Amino acid sequence: MTVFWFLVREGLKGLIRSKYSGAFSIIIIAISLILVGFGYVGARDTLFLVDNIRAQFDVDIFLHETASDKEINNFEALLDSMIEIQKVHYISPEKAAVKFKKEFGEDIFDMLDYNPLPPSFTISLKPIYRNLTSVEGIASILSKKPGVDEVKYRKKFLILLEKYQRIILITVVSVFAFLALLSIILTSNSIKMTIFSRREVISTMKLVGATNSFVRWPFVIEGTLQGFIASCLAALFIYGVFYLLNNYLQTVIEYKAIISYRFYIGIVISGTLMGLIGSRRAIRKFLK
Amino acid sequence: MINFINVDCTFRKKAGVKNINFSVNSGEFVFLTGPSGAGKSTILRLIYMDLFPEKGKVIIRNYNSSSIRDREIPYLRRKVGMVFQDFRLLSDRNAYQNVALSLYVSHYKTSEIKKRVYEVLNQVGLGHRVHYRPYELSGGEQQRVAIARALVKEPVVILADEPTGNLDPKVSIELMNLLNKINKRGTAIIVATHNYSLIPRVPGARLIQIDEGKIVSIT
């Protein structure tokens, strides 16, 4: 127990003794975590946004104006039975007229004496079928069904989305991976600097007969504490920024970040682990 | 206790030591003398296995330089006390903590550490300077703390590399008297020095003279 407490005490004292280099390490780790934290939220929300845009993708199926109730019912039953379809919404000619008025501000009956709007269905596809190949296949099948006049969807939009989604995904993942890698390198180097400034202690300990693990522990404890303090600071900073963003700037930028407490716990655990692993790796070099 | 058998060791491409053969028995006092760069420090470093021979072997009790494993070196160093010209005390801790470090690394209990550190600091005449940091102590006092740090682990030998190099003549003599006193209690001492005036201070000490990495004479 004497040795255990000695090592813990040495670790704590080391943190205080290292002053500037220790504070520098903490700041570097905190900045790294802040970058990774914002990088993560940015990546997550960009991908979420793309998914959301895709989720809004609908296919409109217009039936002939003359379609009977029976044909409409049969067609609805067919749509309900298709596994690719998530949601089916029927728009009767009357509802279409109301929608027309809402969208264009004019009553169709004032312009024409009759309602030319046909009965239609708006369908949403399941996420895995929201791609060009599937949509084209489904549209082609449906357009051949009896009573169907026209199948419409935003083809150009889908082509553009498919083209850019890949680029967005690669960019977002690369930026996040770059930030994560940068933070590991920065953390490891700043801990190395802290240890380098105390190489005198290491060589003296080794001269008086300390084993490598005895020399290592105070530095690992110190590095872990640095990581923990830095990650708490980073979590506080990120919380503060999102608090301001959500409470004061939301109306300006029309964005609300939803961040669960698990994200902050993740930051603290990552930072602490970075300190632990970084110091273990850094001390290894000085023990050779 | 210490045996050098046909030892060759080159250090940083400079001439180190060549074909060194000598032995030191328990409780002996030995002076290693010779001009600067003769190889005195190399010999001491070979004893605490900071350097290893390219040829031959160094045997310290049951530790053999040709077969020792890295993880055994700390245990050898717990049996060998070291004192340097530049003291090598940790400036961020006081005399007590500097000496106690030797015992913490050897996993002693707190009560035992306390008892032994106070005892040994009294022995070197620093009982009243226990809580002083190195920069608050004179050169002679700092070297006494270094000796206490070496002595506290009850080593079989204390190696002193130019221990008086940074001290004035009066303090140097006091220090040699202290080492002599320690030796009389049974600890072997090897002092590497180019200050020949220290030798008469220890009557009966053996003298190994080195020049250009070779032993010139052993008396």
Side-chain angles (χ1 to χ4, degrees), chain A residues 2-3 6 9-10 13 17 198 200-212 214, chain B residues 48 74 77-78 82 84 88-90 92-93 97 101-102 104-105 107-110 149 153:
Chain A
T2 300
V3 172
F6 174 78
R9 227 170 33 236
E10 280 290 302
K13 278 184 192 167
R17 280 176 191 144
R198 306 242 307 285
E200 178 204 10
V201 179
I202 296 173
S203 79
T204 305
M205 276 189 165
K206 292 194 80 176
L207 276 178
V208 296
T211 56
N212 280 353
F214 190 95
Chain B
Y48 65 86
R77 290 186 183 168
R78 290 175 198 178
M82 282 161 282
F84 299 93
R88 297 204 194 166
L89 298 174
L90 298 175
D92 59 358
R93 45 198 96 191
Q97 289 162 334
L101 184 69
S102 275
Y104 275 114
V105 304
H107 297 217
Y108 278 84
K109 283 184 179 170
T110 311
R149 184 178 63 189
K153 51 188 179 179

Side-chain angles (χ1 to χ4, degrees), chain B residues 26 46 58 101 110-111 114-115 141 151 158 162 172 174 181 197 205:
Chain B
S26 301
L46 282 160
V58 180
L101 184 69
T110 311
S111 53
K114 225 175 194 171
K115 190 177 145 234
E141 286 171 330
L151 191 60
I158 290 179
E162 301 284 3
S172 298
E174 282 171 16
K181 207 167 89 185
S197 68

Side-chain angles (χ1 to χ4, degrees), chain B residues 2-14:
Chain B
I2 296 173
N3 283 299
F4 274 63
I5 303 163
N6 303 325
V7 173
D8 279 12
C9 178
T10 325
F11 174 54
R12 280 186 195 156
K13 289 181 184 170
K14 285 181 202 166

